[in-house]
Amino acid sequence: MNTVRKGVIPAAGLGTRFLPATKAIPKEMLPIVDKPTIQYVVEEAVASGLEDILFVTSKAKSSIEDHFDHDFVLEQMLERRGKKELLETVRKVSNMVSVASVRQKEPLGLGHAVLVSEPFVGQEPFAVFLGDDIIDHEVPAMRQMLEVFRQHPGSILAIQEVPPDMVSRYGIVSARAVEGSGDRLLRVEKLVEKPAVGEAPSNLAIMGRYVLMPEIFESLRSTRPGAIGEIQLTDGIAGLIDRGYPVYAYRFEGKRYDAGDKLEYLIATVEMALKHEDLGAAFRDYLQSLNLDHDQGN
């Protein structure tokens, strides 16, 4: 099959970088302006043509699925009060896409989170989105990848260049350009999970978007956990390469925000607010009114 219908969003992490805010609230539900982080990801999936979404969650994360379900009490209240625009907004979220969820009962890594999605995915190619990675572009990043997939069936990893001193934060690929594709599409030869600075095969880092073939499940089942007991998705994908399956890396177009990082979360909030239809102009005026150099001097 060269059609991708299903998407998987692993969202079982504890969000420790945002404690104490995430003690009772999933990090994926932290708002960027007026939408939770994960809604931006789901909107990208929908805009890319996906039909069904699976959230891989953990205990105390039921609010993620609740957000995309109908809230009849809220809807009736908004209707009674004549708040038609808000009612339309709420219903749009509920009707956005068909969603389901499955529990990852132990924190055994991203590879394990993908593995527990197998009953939902079946024997089809599927998309994976990391729940705190937001990519902003007129053409959604996943749609870009699915267009590549139709021409080059195989697993595809979204990549961007990162500064050499940041390679230890990412999975890193060693790859060669695919003939006739310019420099955007590469054939992956090797993957290394979070290599030490100076030992990375390149500075091409895997970002939070994947198109995966169903053979990934068998590869993940045979992948040994790492030093901290987690099954790494990168190791499972490396297993596909070892078995001779094609794996590609795609340099996507768009601005990527790591909303799981405090600074990038703030940057995403500011930049999304500036684009907001209702708030953008007033917020820009406010920012321009700040005398930041004066404040820093005092």
Side-chain angles (χ1 to χ4, degrees):
M1 295 178 63
N2 62 353
T3 300
V4 176
R5 303 182 303 116
K6 298 178 179 180
V8 174
I9 303 180
L14 297 175
T16 53
R17 286 186 287 179
F18 275 86
L19 286 171
T22 50
K23 184 174 182 288
I25 302 171
K27 63 175 181 176
E28 296 83 6
M29 291 300 293
L30 293 175
I32 295 179
V33 190
D34 54 2
K35 293 189 291 189
T37 301
I38 201 166
Q39 185 173 329
Y40 290 89
V41 178
V42 172
E43 287 175 350
E44 179 187 333
V46 173
S48 299
L50 300 186
E51 301 171 6
D52 300 288
I53 298 294
L54 178 75
F55 299 120
V56 181
T57 63
S58 57
K59 185 179 179 182
K61 290 210 173 188
S62 59
S63 60
I64 294 175
E65 189 174 2
D66 290 344
H67 178 71
F68 295 96
D69 200 356
H70 284 281
D71 185 331
F72 295 106
V73 174
L74 175 61
E75 291 178 17
Q76 288 173 1
M77 181 273 289
L78 293 173
E79 191 164 17
R80 283 197 309 270
R81 297 184 180 182
K83 297 184 179 295
K84 294 183 179 179
E85 288 188 9
L86 280 176
L87 178 60
E88 182 180 346
T89 298
V90 169
R91 285 179 171 167
K92 183 179 179 181
V93 174
S94 304
N95 296 326
M96 188 178 299
V97 70
S98 174
V99 301
S101 67
V102 64
R103 284 269 184 97
Q104 184 186 18
K105 296 180 180 180
E106 297 180 77
L108 299 177
L110 178 58
H112 181 262
V114 171
L115 186 56
V116 301
S117 74
E118 184 176 13
F120 168 83
V121 170
Q123 292 300 304
E124 301 183 28
F126 63 105
V128 175
F129 304 76
L130 297 194
D132 50 11
D133 265 30
I134 297 173
I135 300 175
D136 185 38
H137 194 263
E138 182 179 359
V139 180
M142 183 54 69
R143 182 188 290 183
Q144 298 173 41
M145 295 173 70
L146 294 181
E147 289 174 357
V148 171
F149 178 77
R150 281 187 278 273
Q151 300 297 320
H152 299 274
S155 295
I156 304 175
L157 321 176
I159 59 166
Q160 277 190 334
E161 291 187 15
V162 298
D165 62 347
M166 292 180 63
V167 293
S168 59
R169 295 173 53 181
Y170 299 94
I172 301 295
V173 305
S174 173
R176 54 182 171 80
V178 173
E179 187 175 350
S181 64
D183 64 348
R184 288 212 168 271
L185 186 64
L186 304 94
R187 180 74 177 255
V188 179
E189 299 174 332
K190 182 181 179 182
L191 300 95
V192 183
E193 179 65 18
K194 298 181 179 178
V197 175
E199 297 180 7
S202 75
N203 67 332
L204 297 175
I206 304 170
M207 299 304 175
R209 300 293 183 271
Y210 308 78
V211 177
L212 298 175
M213 300 299 285
E215 290 81 9
I216 188 64
F217 298 122
E218 182 58 36
S219 182
L220 287 169
R221 271 191 290 273
S222 61
T223 297
R224 297 181 63 181
I228 59 174
E230 294 185 349
I231 299 174
Q232 299 293 344
L233 180 57
T234 302
D235 293 338
I237 296 171
L240 291 180
I241 297 173
D242 292 341
R243 291 170 170 83
Y245 292 106
V247 175
Y248 299 96
Y250 175 71
R251 299 176 193 256
F252 63 90
E253 296 183 76
K255 177 69 177 290
R256 179 248 184 186
Y257 305 94
D258 177 4
D261 174 85
K262 289 181 182 179
L263 178 58
E264 290 208 28
Y265 174 83
L266 291 173
I267 292 171
T269 300
V270 170
E271 295 193 3
M272 293 298 182
L274 288 170
K275 295 181 179 182
H276 196 281
E277 183 177 356
D278 298 328
L279 302 173
F283 187 53
R284 179 174 284 102
D285 290 343
Y286 166 71
L287 292 177
Q288 290 175 339
S289 74
L290 297 176
N291 189 347
L292 297 179
D293 291 337
H294 175 76
D295 291 344
Q296 289 174 354
N298 289 281

